[in-house]
Amino acid sequence: MSEVQSFEGFCGRVAKAEFAPLYLIHGDETYLQHESLKILCEALVPEGLRDFNLQVFQEDASPERVRDAIEMLPMMSPLRVVVLKQGTEWSDKSWTELQAHLDKPIDSTVFIVTGEKIDRRKKWAKAFLQNGIVLEL
């Protein structure tokens, strides 16, 4: 996978239905983060199936709950979407719980994390760079 440098490039990939199993949407532009997340979720999960296949967590969610959601199979859809808002605020210990899924993403789940700036030297951030798309806004 590769890093997308611009919001326009990201929108172009979504329009072509070029999806990745992992997305890290971060930076200071919270409006563009929100719009990116909305565009991606609308493209990935049909409106009538969002109750079953879209799960959104805040930064205070436990790593175990997020992991369980990632491992859950989609219902009546090829994909399930799990969102962790402000996940960049998680501790390294919390990310350790999900590292196996970051290193080898599950085909049936798209995991999206939003937040502020990241430290690209962290193991979890490197996994997003290697296996997914990182959008810095």
Side-chain angles (χ1 to χ4, degrees):
M1 291 291 142
S2 63
E3 182 172 351
V4 176
Q5 297 290 327
S6 68
F7 179 72
E8 293 78 17
F10 166 78
C11 291
R13 283 184 182 222
V14 172
K16 294 179 194 172
E18 294 176 359
F19 301 115
L22 302 173
Y23 287 89
L24 176 57
I25 304 170
H26 71 101
D28 298 328
E29 295 288 339
T30 55
Y31 174 76
L32 288 178
Q33 281 187 33
H34 177 74
E35 284 301 304
S36 300
L37 183 60
K38 179 181 169 188
I39 290 166
L40 197 51
C41 289
E42 287 175 354
L44 288 166
V45 183
E47 187 173 351
L49 298 175
R50 289 188 189 140
D51 288 341
F52 303 110
N53 296 307
L54 175 62
Q55 195 157 3
V56 180
F57 294 97
Q58 301 300 322
E59 69 179 285
D60 60 350
S62 73
E64 294 81 13
R65 286 191 60 218
V66 175
R67 183 198 64 227
D68 290 347
I70 291 170
E71 292 174 348
M72 189 179 298
L73 293 173
M75 181 180 275
M76 300 182 294
S77 177
L79 291 173
R80 175 174 174 70
V81 175
V82 177
V83 178
L84 176 59
K85 291 186 174 182
Q86 295 302 316
T88 57
E89 302 301 315
W90 265 14
S91 68
D92 290 342
K93 182 179 178 184
S94 294
W95 278 111
T96 301
E97 188 76 31
L98 299 181
Q99 193 64 47
H101 296 298
L102 300 178
D103 292 337
K104 189 170 186 218
I106 298 172
D107 292 338
S108 62
T109 301
V110 175
F111 182 42
I112 306 168
V113 176
T114 67
E116 295 179 9
K117 296 286 184 188
I118 62 165
D119 182 349
R120 293 171 186 256
R121 298 171 296 174
K122 301 280 186 181
K123 187 175 181 181
W124 64 268
K126 287 180 181 179
F128 275 95
L129 286 164
Q130 182 177 1
N131 300 320
I133 292 177
V134 177
L135 179 59
E136 186 172 352
L137 302 169

